[in-house]
Amino acid sequence: MTDLTTLKYTEEHEWVALEGDVATVGITDYAADKLGDVVYVDLPSVGSTVTANTVCGEIESTKSVGELYAPLSGEIVAVNDAVVDDPSLVNSGSFEGGWLVKIQVDPADVDALLDRAAYVALTGGEE
């Protein structure tokens, strides 16, 4: 189980786990719950560049279509093909096998993201 207090978060309900200069990104359980059953995921391609706070993909569910925002600027170094093949992984394990992309970033940029307490406050106490 992932220690959620070690992650950073965005106001768009994404989580970020930093290892060196690579940020693994996914959506939070809160976002996955609000979306409902995820049926389609469109992710940026490896080698593409993303800019913080801009749309870089799409997540479709039985309820709605949501945009995936890049939490940080950098180069996409990996995408989770398992999620593309089986979008339900976003619902069943958003903090484990349901990660979406890995971005090579400037590690200092991560400091500007929300910590766990701030994210829980943003969601009204829901985790």
Side-chain angles (χ1 to χ4, degrees):
M1 176 72 189
T2 301
D3 180 355
L4 303 182
T5 62
T6 65
L7 303 176
K8 292 290 196 166
Y9 301 87
T10 70
E11 291 181 3
E12 288 77 30
H13 308 290
E14 289 138 357
W15 58 263
V16 175
L18 185 67
E19 284 187 46
D21 66 350
V22 175
T24 302
V25 178
I27 66 167
T28 64
D29 284 345
Y30 176 86
D33 182 57
K34 294 296 182 199
L35 277 171
D37 294 333
V38 175
V39 296
Y40 175 76
V41 177
D42 179 40
L43 300 174
S45 57
V46 171
S48 63
T49 301
V50 295
T51 303
N53 303 314
T54 62
V55 175
C56 67
E58 187 174 279
I59 299 175
E60 293 182 21
S61 71
T62 54
K63 290 183 185 177
S64 67
V65 176
E67 295 176 324
L68 174 64
Y69 289 85
L72 301 159
S73 296
E75 179 182 342
I76 301 293
V77 294
V79 297
N80 188 349
D81 291 326
V83 165
V84 173
D85 295 339
D86 182 6
S88 69
L89 290 172
V90 172
N91 296 106
S92 64
S94 63
F95 291 107
E96 303 296 334
W99 63 273
L100 301 173
V101 296
K102 294 187 180 203
I103 308 170
Q104 189 169 22
V105 300
D106 178 345
D109 292 346
V110 175
D111 293 339
L113 300 177
L114 304 172
D115 64 14
R116 183 70 185 167
Y119 181 71
V120 170
L122 173 77
T123 60
E126 291 188 51
E127 298 191 42

